[in-house]
């Protein structure tokens, strides 16, 4: 299947700093990528949809100025957590979609990035 | 609106015993159905998917699921579990032809007891 890679897998930062997480599709082009946040023992919460060459679409309640998303190429989307605070500590997962028959396809997920803000 | 319900948050089962993880969905339109597995501190890996055709779908690691349209269910089964099956399992649905929107259940934590 398609491979999606996330980096870094773990990051620890001080409160007030910014952190960038990269999501790459290694063997396919992804015009659309998705960013999820997962709290312990909970499901994935869709944060935003990242579209190559255009602005991301954020879900209700997600601060676009806090979570900056850039989809600069067909194989790379980045999530930048700006001025991170301890409450931003979480597991962030990206995914990319493959298309078939012109309709929706399965999602391929990155390995996830665990952010800890001290 | 679409929603996905996983009725059991935790399922303990002894090694080599069968297991069923339940998933029900609600949707006013036709959907695609998926089961994903998540091991600790990792992303999600696709177990199997139902798109069309046969309602019994076989996936990786010996798992299978059956799509029941009348009961709007897509339960996941394995006849004999292994210790390595201990993980979090997520059911998900996607509307046909929307292109983007996936809806995930809250997950079921499967613990296989030696």
């Amino acid at each position: 299947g398609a491979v999606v890679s996330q980096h870094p897998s773990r990051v620890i930062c001080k409160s007030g700093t910014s952190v960038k997480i990269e999501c790459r599709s290694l063997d396919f082009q992804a015009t659309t990528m998705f960013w999820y946040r997962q709290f312990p023992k909970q499901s994935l919460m869709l944060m935003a949809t990242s579209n190559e060459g255009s602005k991301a679409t954020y879900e209700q309640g997600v601060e676009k100025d806090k979570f900056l998303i850039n989809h600069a190429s067909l194989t790379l989307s980045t999530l930048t957590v700006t001025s991170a605070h301890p409450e931003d500590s979480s597991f962030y997962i990206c995914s990319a979609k493959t298309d078939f028959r012109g309709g929706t396809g399965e999602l391929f997920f990155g390995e996830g990035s665990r952010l800890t803000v001290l | 609106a679409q929603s996905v319900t996983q009725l059991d948050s935790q399922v303990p089962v002894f090694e080599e015993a069968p297991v069923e993880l339940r998933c029900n969905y609600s949707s006013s339109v036709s959907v695609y159905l998926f089961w994903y597995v998540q091991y600790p501190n990792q992303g999600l890996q696709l177990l199997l998917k139902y798109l069309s055709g046969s309602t019994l779908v076989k996936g990786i690691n010996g798992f299978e699921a059956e799509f029941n349209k009348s009961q709007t269910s897509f339960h996941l089964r394995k006849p004999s579990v292994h210790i390595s099956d201990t993980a979090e399992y997520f059911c998900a649905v996607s509307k046909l032809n929307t292109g983007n929107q996936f809806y995930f259940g809250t997950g079921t934590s499967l613990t296989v007891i030696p």
Side-chain angles (χ1 to χ4, degrees):
Chain A
V3 178
V4 176
S5 178
Q6 253 181 272
H7 178 80
S9 58
R10 294 178 182 270
V11 57
I12 301 172
C13 69
K14 292 182 179 180
S15 185
T17 61
S18 295
V19 174
K20 179 185 285 187
I21 301 170
E22 294 186 344
C23 178
R24 294 180 185 275
S25 57
L26 298 185
D27 53 358
F28 67 102
Q29 293 183 332
T31 55
T32 304
M33 290 185 174
F34 306 91
W35 287 97
Y36 293 85
R37 182 173 180 177
Q38 186 180 33
F39 293 100
K41 302 296 184 182
Q42 294 188 28
S43 188
L44 284 72
M45 180 191 78
L46 179 64
M47 298 175 64
T49 302
S50 171
N51 302 296
E52 188 270 334
S54 64
K55 291 182 179 180
T57 304
Y58 290 82
E59 295 299 304
Q60 190 174 7
V62 178
E63 301 175 61
K64 63 175 92 174
D65 295 330
K66 158 71 84 174
F67 300 101
L68 300 179
I69 291 172
N70 183 276
H71 197 149
S73 76
L74 288 172
T75 59
L76 174 63
S77 175
T78 60
L79 168 68
T80 301
V81 183
T82 62
S83 186
H85 288 91
E87 59 266 29
D88 298 325
S89 298
S90 192
F91 194 56
Y92 293 89
I93 307 176
C94 74
S95 70
K97 183 179 67 68
T98 62
D99 288 319
F100 56 86
R101 302 179 198 168
T104 187
E106 67 184 83
L107 290 180
F108 292 93
F109 288 83
E111 309 93 328
S113 299
R114 183 164 298 285
L115 170 64
T116 302
V117 184
L118 303 177
Chain B
Q2 282 64 235
S3 69
V4 182
T5 302
Q6 289 182 246
L7 297 170
D8 306 301
S9 60
Q10 294 185 350
V11 173
V13 62
F14 285 104
E15 190 175 15
E16 297 184 3
V19 70
E20 178 180 84
L21 306 183
R22 296 180 291 171
C23 173
N24 288 85
Y25 69 94
S26 64
S27 176
S28 57
V29 299
S30 296
V31 297
Y32 294 146
L33 296 154
F34 306 83
W35 273 99
Y36 285 87
V37 60
Q38 184 182 33
Y39 298 102
N41 293 310
Q42 294 187 29
L44 275 67
Q45 178 184 1
L46 181 70
L47 274 178
L48 47 78
K49 60 186 176 185
Y50 172 78
L51 308 175
S52 64
S54 173
T55 57
L56 182 63
V57 179
K58 293 188 183 297
I60 62 172
N61 301 340
F63 284 94
E64 64 180 34
E66 186 160 17
F67 169 56
N68 188 318
K69 188 174 182 178
S70 63
Q71 296 185 6
T72 59
S73 68
F74 191 54
H75 300 333
L76 181 70
R77 303 186 185 99
K78 185 168 182 177
S80 176
V81 295
H82 299 272
I83 297 292
S84 59
D85 292 323
T86 295
E88 193 81 17
Y89 291 80
F90 292 96
C91 180
V93 302
S94 176
K95 289 192 297 182
L96 292 180
N97 299 322
T98 62
N100 290 331
Q101 193 64 290
F102 268 63
Y103 300 87
F104 286 89
T106 49
T108 297
S109 178
L110 174 64
T111 301
V112 180
I113 304 166

